Amino acid sequence: GAYYKENHIEVVENFIPTENLNNLQFWMIDPKFKWNYNPSNLDYPLEKFIKNNMYGDNFVFNHAWVWEGILKDKELTHDLELLIESIRNKTGTNLIKRIKANLYTNQGKQIKYGKHTDMPNSKDFYWTLIYHVNDCNGMTVLDDEEKNIYKEIPQKANQLIMFDGRINHYGVTQTDNAVRLVINFLMM
């Protein structure tokens, strides 16, 4: 069943069967998979980027299946459906607000992305879940001074990080692999 725990952080390794992980990896790097360029991991108005020429190294490629509770892409493979079902079972919750993949490219240096929460105005508990799709030396960092939380979680394929979504966090890019692949879930 659902459980809500203030400042809960849990890291689960070997989250889904290896075969399903491998299928997800191949699917997400297939040239037919549609990635969208995003100039920042934070939600800034694009006019601001264009006007201030803010095209820096904090860009990311995204693919959204569910955004603000709305199904944006119906192409869910069996492996992604299994991942979603496993996450539903783990959190004990069914309401999916967001399922989005991020692809970070290797820029030859580790880049720290903007610290954020996925629903900045929410006082109510919600889950943020980050699924590491591949191995690399990038990481997910939970960093919230107010809550006295600092935890660096190195990226490891088939690892799920689930935490109280009100904890500030950010990603760090990799220098050892061409791409860093993650799938983000926002659930209530």
Side-chain angles (χ1 to χ4, degrees):
Y3 62 94
Y4 305 105
K5 193 171 155 206
E6 187 92 11
N7 299 333
H8 183 87
I9 301 167
E10 191 173 339
V11 179
V12 185
E13 293 185 13
N14 304 313
F15 189 65
I16 60 173
T18 305
E19 181 190 349
N20 301 103
L21 166 70
N22 293 341
N23 292 341
L24 271 178
Q25 290 171 336
F26 285 123
W27 181 46
M28 291 174 72
I29 62 164
D30 189 299
K32 291 187 286 296
F33 192 90
K34 289 180 179 49
W35 290 102
N36 299 299
Y37 172 79
N38 187 339
S40 168
N41 73 313
L42 303 175
D43 294 328
Y44 288 127
L46 290 179
E47 302 80 54
K48 182 178 168 184
F49 277 97
I50 293 164
K51 198 174 91 193
N52 299 324
N53 196 21
M54 292 171 62
Y55 294 98
D57 52 14
N58 272 23
F59 65 88
V60 62
F61 292 88
N62 302 126
H63 181 97
W65 288 281
V66 177
W67 192 258
E68 300 315 321
I70 297 159
L71 185 64
K72 295 290 188 185
D73 181 357
K74 292 179 186 74
E75 193 188 339
L76 303 175
T77 65
H78 165 71
D79 307 290
L80 183 60
E81 285 176 350
L82 178 110
L83 178 62
I84 294 166
E85 196 51 40
S86 301
I87 285 173
R88 278 187 162 139
N89 292 337
K90 183 77 182 142
T91 60
T93 181
N94 277 319
L95 182 63
I96 298 173
K97 285 281 281 183
R98 197 178 296 170
I99 303 175
K100 175 184 69 118
N102 290 346
L103 179 151
Y104 301 88
T105 60
N106 184 336
Q107 299 183 59
K109 60 184 175 181
Q110 289 202 298
I111 298 161
K112 201 169 129 174
Y113 278 65
K115 195 192 313 189
H116 66 283
T117 60
D118 295 330
M119 289 174 57
N121 302 320
S122 179
K123 300 280 176 257
D124 297 328
F125 184 94
Y126 64 94
W127 289 111
T128 292
L129 302 107
I130 300 170
Y131 179 72
H132 290 162
V133 178
N134 68 324
D135 286 316
C136 68
N137 67 356
M139 70 179 90
T140 298
V141 180
L142 305 183
D143 183 1
D144 201 313
E145 286 127 30
E146 207 177 281
K147 295 176 172 65
N148 199 23
I149 291 171
Y150 184 84
K151 187 173 176 70
E152 292 180 357
I153 304 160
Q155 175 125 352
K156 193 173 183 182
N158 205 11
Q159 174 173 267
L160 179 76
I161 306 165
M162 64 184 278
F163 56 94
D164 178 339
R166 299 167 298 182
I167 297 171
N168 281 306
H169 61 280
Y170 61 88
V172 178
T173 58
Q174 76 292 356
T175 57
D176 61 342
N177 197 324
V179 295
R180 174 177 184 240
L181 291 170
V182 302
I183 303 176
N184 300 314
F185 295 82
L186 186 56
M187 299 184 67
M188 304 176 90

